[in-house]
Amino acid sequence: MTLKRLSENIVYLPPDHRTDRPLLAAVSGTRKTLLIDAGSSPAHVALFLGELKRHGIPQGDYLVITHWHWDHSFGISTLNLPTIAHVKTCEQLAKMTSYSWTDKAIDGRVLEGLEIPFCAEMIKKEYFNRDEIKITLPDIIFEKKLVIDLGGIHCKIEHVGGNHAVDSSIIYIKEEKTLFLGDCLGPAIYSKKWFYQSDILQALLEKIKHYNVETYIESHGEPEPKEKFFQEIKTLKIIASSMENYEGDQDKLITNLTRKLRRQLNQDDLETITYFINGLQ
Ligand SMILES: [Zn+2]
């Protein structure tokens, strides 16, 4: 994994699906640099900082966290920067400060429903030595939104919530017309079955619509130009709205969607449909 340049002021380290590492980014103005998300582990942080150094980019003055999930927040202590996060991100991280990270403790939390098998597996894969896990709380806490001026580059951080995590926040880089979405458009994963609730997703899409954006960035994907992103959103919206007439007949739902989308459904569509059906239960 090597650093990629999105524009003169934005670089990013792409996600790594092997241990579910998310994308990390650095946004620079004339005075300061903001890092977006802390990453999964000291090793992930070291890779990112090493790449920034190699490209002559500052190592960051501030750090912002998109949501509390381990892969976005466990690198806070290693980065050791003034860290910005939503109040609910802080609350969630505070709960985790007392956790132990032995196999027994992690597996116990999975049984209790506090952890999910997917993250448990990824944490075990990411860390050779889990004594390295130190949950550190953010320093600068906001409730609705906050703007950072990096010197000619303005970053607006806004809490949007959504299905994936109640604390999800997005970061809009105004001069670059770039929107960092974190994982906010993903399904809820901290439950027995992953799910989408249609009304919550539709409200979130409504909020995102108000930003003037050319490039959208989701944490576990590559940056996307608006045309491609809109296409995906359109599919998601059609599926979400179709759920209003869903009467438990999955075959009928698929036939309706095939007609509305004017194409055969693919594996991703079918997975999304399952999440919406799970959300009804
Ligand atoms: Zn997440």
Side-chain angles (χ1 to χ4, degrees):
M1 288 292 160
T2 54
L3 203 70
K4 290 190 180 176
R5 184 169 286 283
L6 183 73
S7 69
E8 200 189 325
N9 303 302
I10 303 176
V11 292
Y12 67 95
L13 187 67
D16 186 338
H17 302 299
R18 287 172 299 179
T19 54
D20 205 35
R21 285 180 176 180
L23 176 147
L24 303 180
V27 183
S28 298
T30 55
R31 295 194 312 270
K32 305 276 183 187
T33 293
L34 171 71
L35 303 188
I36 298 178
D37 272 336
S40 311
S41 62
H44 191 196
V45 170
L47 174 66
F48 184 42
L49 293 182
E51 283 293 290
L52 291 178
K53 195 173 175 190
R54 197 164 70 82
H55 287 79
I57 295 158
Q59 305 271 291
D61 299 287
Y62 303 106
L63 166 66
V64 62
I65 307 297
T66 57
H67 62 298
W68 65 272
H69 291 166
W70 77 280
D71 48 326
H72 301 256
S73 64
F74 278 15
I76 295 176
S77 62
T78 310
L79 278 167
N80 194 26
L81 291 169
T83 302
I84 304 158
H86 186 256
V87 58
K88 287 181 181 163
T89 308
C90 298
E91 284 169 11
Q92 190 61 37
L93 289 173
K95 282 186 208 162
M96 295 161 77
T97 50
S98 59
Y99 284 4
S100 155
W101 298 95
T102 60
D103 280 356
K104 196 179 161 213
I106 295 176
D107 297 343
R109 287 197 293 275
V110 171
L111 286 176
E112 270 183 86
L114 291 169
E115 187 53 270
I116 57 166
F118 175 70
C119 293
E121 185 196 333
M122 291 298 157
I123 291 169
K124 289 175 186 173
K125 260 196 200 170
E126 172 70 30
Y127 281 86
F128 176 69
N129 172 14
R130 266 173 268 140
D131 290 337
E132 285 181 343
I133 300 178
K134 286 186 183 65
I135 310 290
T136 304
L137 298 183
D139 310 284
I140 302 162
I141 299 157
F142 71 97
E143 275 188 44
K144 286 186 177 139
K145 54 187 85 169
L146 184 141
V147 176
I148 306 179
D149 180 359
L150 301 172
I153 297 288
H154 295 81
C155 308
K156 183 174 169 187
I157 305 164
E158 184 182 4
H159 172 245
V160 292
N163 284 286
H164 186 74
V166 287
D167 61 324
S168 276
S169 301
I170 58 176
I171 300 112
Y172 178 60
I173 318 302
K174 190 178 153 214
E175 289 78 3
E176 300 277 347
K177 292 191 176 137
T178 296
L179 186 62
F180 287 89
L181 292 159
D183 293 350
C184 78
L185 290 175
I189 62 170
Y190 272 81
S191 71
K192 274 217 170 70
K193 289 178 176 177
W194 293 16
F195 71 86
Y196 273 125
Q197 278 175 336
S198 178
D199 51 340
I200 292 177
L201 183 71
Q202 303 213 52
L204 176 60
L205 293 175
E206 227 14 70
K207 275 186 208 168
I208 288 170
K209 209 171 79 179
H210 296 292
Y211 286 93
N212 178 13
V213 180
E214 292 295 332
T215 308
Y216 290 87
I217 305 179
E218 291 190 87
S219 290
H220 295 278
E222 283 290 324
E224 288 187 347
K226 67 176 176 194
E227 296 75 18
K228 185 162 185 253
F229 182 77
F230 284 167
Q231 202 56 44
E232 288 170 18
I233 289 303
K234 204 173 138 190
T235 304
L236 205 51
K237 268 188 184 164
I238 290 174
I239 299 176
S241 63
S242 293
M243 294 313 294
E244 285 158 18
N245 306 316
Y246 179 67
E247 291 155 346
D249 187 342
Q250 208 166 324
D251 291 339
K252 195 173 154 196
L253 178 69
I254 289 171
T255 309
N256 277 341
L257 282 171
T258 307
R259 189 166 42 77
K260 281 187 190 163
L261 295 169
R262 293 198 196 121
R263 60 169 173 79
Q264 288 300 310
L265 304 190
N266 58 38
Q267 206 49 46
D268 287 348
D269 300 326
L270 295 173
E271 200 174 69
T272 305
I273 291 167
T274 306
Y275 297 154
F276 277 109
I277 292 172
N278 292 343
L280 295 173
Q281 289 157 11

